[in-house]
Amino acid sequence: MFRKKPPQTMLPPEWVIVGLGNPGPQYRGTRHNVGFELLELLCSSHKIKLDRSKHKAQYGQGMIEGHGVLLVKPLTFMNLSGQAVAPFLQEFGIAPDHVLVVTDDLDLPVGKIRFRTKGSAGGHNGHKSLIQSLGTPEYPRIKIGIGKGQDETIDHVLGRFHPDEFVDVKKCLDRAAKGIAVLVESGADAASLVINTGE
């Protein structure tokens, strides 16, 4: 006889993982929404559902590598993202150094990815809003390269990846998801090794 595994006990969240993007079907699949794409990958990989709404966000609570997490998708549009994220920190008593934010990055070419434990806004409206709302730039972030392109910046970030870019973007998302699991389980140094060097 095979015994059913007992359900996994849900632990209080230790990490808030935020994917930034713009809500609405017209923005789905755009370069600016790679943060949303990564959140959906994490949901699929770890069987977490974004089935709740609060604080101007969709969110789900679950487990990654035995640690409690909140996955948060702000619905405020990019330049007001901090308004959706800050209330979760207050409600669950989580410090900014345990808030991981995933965004697109114009300064990185497509296929490149970077993990940092802190940093400036770097011209990114999502980070500007978060730094203002959290009161600090010292929160970890994963930046996924979308390149600068030939178009005006707004047209580029709100455009969609070319078909020949999909393979590289998918590799970045997969490496980011792997790195997040390592971050939650083993900390920032180990995650940096996975994300920044591909090891």
Side-chain angles (χ1 to χ4, degrees):
M1 289 285 292
F2 290 101
R3 293 185 179 179
K4 288 179 69 175
K5 288 185 179 179
Q8 195 175 34
T9 303
M10 187 72 69
L11 297 174
E14 300 174 35
W15 282 89
V16 176
I17 300 169
V18 183
L20 295 192
N22 288 316
Q26 68 271 41
Y27 297 108
R28 186 172 182 85
T30 61
R31 295 181 179 91
H32 222 20
N33 274 33
V34 290
F36 280 8
E37 303 264 348
L38 182 53
L39 220 57
E40 290 170 11
L41 178 58
L42 292 174
C43 286
S44 174
S45 300
H46 300 283
K47 296 181 172 57
I48 300 172
K49 293 181 180 178
L50 293 180
D51 56 358
R52 309 182 203 182
S53 297
K54 187 191 286 188
H55 306 317
K56 303 177 185 175
Q58 280 184 325
Y59 76 102
Q61 187 170 352
M63 306 278 285
I64 295 179
E65 300 301 325
H67 297 264
V69 299
L70 284 180
L71 303 184
V72 176
K73 181 192 281 189
L75 300 178
T76 53
F77 288 93
M78 188 70 79
N79 61 353
L80 298 175
S81 299
Q83 295 180 8
V85 176
F88 283 100
L89 275 65
Q90 296 162 3
E91 179 177 348
F92 290 93
I94 294 174
D97 66 355
H98 272 60
V99 179
L100 175 70
V101 179
V102 184
T103 64
D104 62 304
D105 193 284
L106 280 165
D107 293 324
L108 290 174
V110 174
K112 297 295 183 182
I113 181 172
R114 289 287 178 270
F115 170 76
R116 295 286 183 265
T117 56
K118 58 185 177 182
S120 66
H124 194 286
N125 288 332
H127 283 303
K128 286 179 185 176
S129 177
L130 281 157
I131 290 168
Q132 182 178 22
S133 294
L134 301 183
T136 179
E138 298 193 9
Y139 56 85
R141 69 279 306 267
I142 292 176
K143 302 186 286 186
I144 296 174
I146 63 169
K148 290 191 184 294
Q150 305 299 317
D151 301 325
E152 292 290 324
T153 297
I154 188 69
D155 293 330
H156 180 67
V157 300
L158 295 182
R160 287 171 170 77
F161 290 105
H162 300 300
D164 57 354
E165 294 175 323
F166 282 141
V167 172
D168 289 332
V169 174
K170 176 72 164 55
K171 286 179 181 176
C172 281
L173 294 174
D174 287 343
R175 195 199 299 182
K178 181 180 176 183
I180 288 170
V182 173
L183 174 69
V184 169
E185 184 176 31
S186 303
D189 289 344
S192 179
L193 199 63
V194 170
I195 297 172
N196 294 338
T197 70
E199 294 184 7

